[in-house]
Amino acid sequence: MKVTAIGTGYVGLVTGACLAEMGNHVVCLDVNPEKIRVLNGGEIPIHEPGLLEVVRRNVAAGRLQFTTDVDMAVQHGTLLFIGVGTPPDEDGSADLQYVVAAARSIGQRMTDYKVIVDKSTVPVGTADKVRAAIKEELVKRGLGDMAYAVVSNPEFLKEGAAVEDFMKPDRIIVGSDDEQATLLMRALYAPFNRTQDRMLVMDVRSAEFTKYAANAMLATRISFMNELALLAEKVGADIELVRRGIGSDPRIGYQFLYAGAGYGGSCFPKDVKALVKAAADNEIPLKVLTAVEEANERQKRVLVDKVVARFGGDLKGRRFAIWGLAFKPNTDDMREAPSLVIIDELTKLGATVAAYDPVSMSETARVLGPRDDVALVDRAEAALQGADALLIVTEWKEFRTPDFDAIKAALKAPVVFDGRNLYDPRLMKTLGIEYNGIGRG
Ligand code: NAI
């Protein structure tokens, strides 16, 4: 089938590449010429395991191409996926300007039946806005009767495992009220659905809502565990043991029960905010979710609170090593990363920071800009030299079993603040390391 992916970010690029992998002819469009230049140069602009290989294979096979040419891209696809950003507006609601601009650019050019697929995470009612924007443009061109469909197909991939998630989805949600569009979506996703039909077709609004509900539920689990961790510390319980104790109940399950340094990323913070705002606009205040967000804001500062409790509120002359900057492992995405809050707070208190991340060093440098108080180093060990303590912020595999003797030798005193509970407090004690985890009373 002929597919166009509009927006070549984490979602659009993965969608385009994986659909090409199944034999579709895919054009990926972006307004950012630099991204298209990188892609046409045989590289990818993000770190995503396995993606480069899929991209290169399909470009070589002639099934995948990248362009800034809107005319060509709109003409190409029968199915046009909109995968552009939906960042938070000032009031927390989702900013739909990029989605609507993409819709308009379709309406300004289409000459035959198209299925426009909202892949971005968008509030309930967005498909109507997309439909209306296209209609307006068609009417301007005197083509008001031209048939087209707008369907919702929210994406559930996880950065760091995006290709795997796209190729083997748990579910494929399609919100559609157009029979022809539903059949085309079924055909497109059939290869991802071979062993079991994972496609759930529903009305458009329920599909749009499903994505927010999923992210809200996951964020809730994290904030819930983070709050329990704060209490566990006070009452002398270990949240890691509690996690295992409750996760064994199938009604609860083990996933997403980790206490830590708060959630970040391009999805949970903005989607929680957008749902809270949408609910307030509809006079149904979401009390639980509001608290989830507040708890997360507090949690992003927990490691710094621990540092202050240990070293005092004046950190002038102190230096801290930070391991892990990306908002989670296996990605270079720094959007809303807790590490940024931690760096900000520590340096405001007068400290300097030496930070290391296996893949997000250049992205961090771009986000932070030039800073005298932050050294970005290219090896984990280099961050440790002469630091007052080590803070672990992202649970990269390479931090899981480090050389503890080397850590002790390099730090001024052996103090570790483990924001991801990677180490066993009993082992740390026997090694003579002063260990501060999350919720490990
Ligand atoms: P991103 O910011 O990485 O990529 C968006 C891309 O769209 C950018 O390259 C931008 O230049 C391009 N763009 C903007 N306007 C355009 C236009 N009119 N025409 C062509 N290209 C345009 O965003 P990301 O992370 O891929 O997210 C996209 C959407 O998918 C968001 O709504 C997000 O919430 C959702 N989502 C993201 C997931 C993730 O893990 N990143 C997972 C599931 C959903």
Side-chain angles (χ1 to χ4, degrees):
M1 297 170 84
K2 285 187 174 167
V3 175
T4 294
I6 303 178
T8 59
Y10 289 85
V11 165
L13 183 56
V14 171
T15 301
C18 291
L19 289 175
E21 181 81 351
M22 291 303 187
N24 298 290
H25 284 260
V26 181
V27 167
C28 290
L29 169 74
D30 207 289
V31 287
N32 182 337
E34 178 57 18
K35 280 195 181 178
I36 297 301
R37 190 190 63 73
V38 170
L39 287 160
N40 281 330
E43 300 296 332
I44 56 175
I46 53 172
H47 174 89
E48 189 55 56
L51 182 58
L52 183 61
E53 293 75 7
V54 181
V55 166
R56 285 186 177 165
R57 187 161 54 240
N58 286 283
V59 167
R63 285 190 300 264
L64 181 60
Q65 62 186 110
F66 304 102
T67 186
T68 54
D69 181 345
V70 188
D71 290 333
M72 185 275 267
V74 171
Q75 282 315 316
H76 172 83
T78 307
L79 295 132
L80 302 163
F81 282 75
I82 300 181
V84 301
T86 48
D89 227 333
E90 274 151 31
D91 63 4
S93 54
D95 180 352
L96 293 178
Q97 63 166 308
Y98 306 104
V99 172
V100 173
R104 288 198 183 282
S105 67
I106 296 168
Q108 286 155 2
R109 294 169 177 86
M110 59 184 270
T111 50
D112 54 3
Y113 177 80
K114 303 276 186 197
V115 178
I116 295 91
V117 186
D118 286 343
K119 189 103 189 94
S120 299
T121 301
V122 288
V124 173
T126 300
D128 294 338
K129 289 185 180 150
V130 165
R131 196 175 288 119
I134 295 173
K135 185 81 175 178
E136 253 180 61
E137 297 301 330
L138 287 174
V139 168
K140 279 186 208 161
R141 295 166 59 209
L143 298 172
D145 290 335
M146 185 170 286
Y148 62 99
V150 178
V151 307
S152 166
N153 173 221
E155 181 50 56
F156 296 93
L157 63 78
K158 301 182 288 295
E159 282 177 25
V163 173
E164 172 88 6
D165 286 348
F166 196 97
M167 298 304 275
K168 294 181 190 150
D170 298 323
R171 75 295 211 195
I172 300 156
I173 304 283
V174 173
S176 171
D177 50 19
D178 179 298
E179 185 61 25
Q180 168 82 350
T182 308
L183 290 173
L184 286 168
M185 292 296 279
R186 274 203 184 286
L188 184 74
Y189 277 114
F192 302 89
N193 246 335
R194 282 163 63 94
T195 47
Q196 186 188 333
D197 187 2
R198 294 188 174 84
M199 185 177 280
L200 276 165
V201 180
M202 56 180 78
D203 66 278
V204 175
R205 287 180 172 245
S206 301
E208 290 172 332
F209 202 139
T210 298
K211 174 67 191 178
Y212 280 99
N215 278 357
M217 174 67 90
L218 294 170
T220 300
R221 283 171 74 97
I222 297 175
S223 275
F224 181 78
M225 289 307 284
N226 282 338
E227 284 208 307
L228 291 193
L230 295 179
L231 180 59
E233 262 170 39
K234 289 276 184 224
V235 298
D238 183 343
I239 198 69
E240 270 302 294
L241 301 176
V242 175
R243 177 182 70 77
R244 284 179 230 164
I246 63 172
S248 53
D249 182 335
R251 291 170 303 174
I252 297 174
Y254 288 106
Q255 306 247 351
F256 263 79
L257 280 189
Y258 293 91
Y263 62 75
S266 68
C267 291
F268 289 178
K270 86 170 168 58
D271 294 348
V272 166
K273 277 194 189 75
L275 191 53
V276 165
K277 178 68 171 63
D281 290 348
N282 283 282
E283 290 168 21
I284 304 287
L286 294 182
K287 295 181 186 169
V288 173
L289 208 55
T290 304
V292 164
E293 197 191 351
E294 284 167 12
N296 193 55
E297 285 309 308
R298 175 175 64 183
Q299 197 68 21
K300 286 197 275 189
R301 287 166 174 79
V302 157
L303 275 190
V304 178
D305 292 345
K306 287 174 187 285
V307 168
V308 168
R310 170 65 173 74
F311 292 100
D314 181 2
L315 298 178
K316 271 193 211 78
R318 300 216 179 260
R319 193 150 81 94
F320 295 95
I322 293 187
W323 280 4
L325 297 163
F327 87 92
K328 68 172 179 180
N330 300 324
T331 181
D332 58 351
D333 198 341
M334 291 297 296
R335 287 179 282 187
E336 303 275 339
S339 65
L340 295 174
V341 174
I342 292 167
I343 289 174
D344 201 42
E345 299 275 319
L346 289 175
T347 52
K348 264 193 211 144
L349 295 172
T352 56
V353 165
Y356 166 76
D357 186 280
V359 303
S360 74
M361 301 308 290
S362 57
E363 185 58 10
T364 306
R366 189 186 69 77
V367 172
L368 286 180
R371 296 265 301 247
D372 292 339
D373 47 4
V374 183
L376 299 176
V377 297
D378 58 4
R379 281 181 314 111
E381 298 75 33
L384 301 171
Q385 292 308 321
D388 288 275
L390 165 64
L391 280 69
I392 297 167
V393 184
T394 313
E395 65 276 33
W396 285 92
K397 277 201 188 105
E398 67 177 71
F399 303 149
R400 285 184 185 269
T401 42
D403 180 344
F404 291 110
D405 291 334
I407 293 177
K408 277 177 73 174
L411 292 175
K412 271 192 204 152
V415 185
V416 172
F417 297 90
D418 180 358
R420 299 295 169 189
N421 286 345
L422 298 186
Y423 311 136
D424 182 341
R426 292 162 301 181
L427 175 66
M428 294 301 105
K429 199 168 178 185
T430 62
L431 292 174
I433 292 177
E434 189 185 319
Y435 181 71
N436 306 272
I438 304 283
R440 318 204 72 176

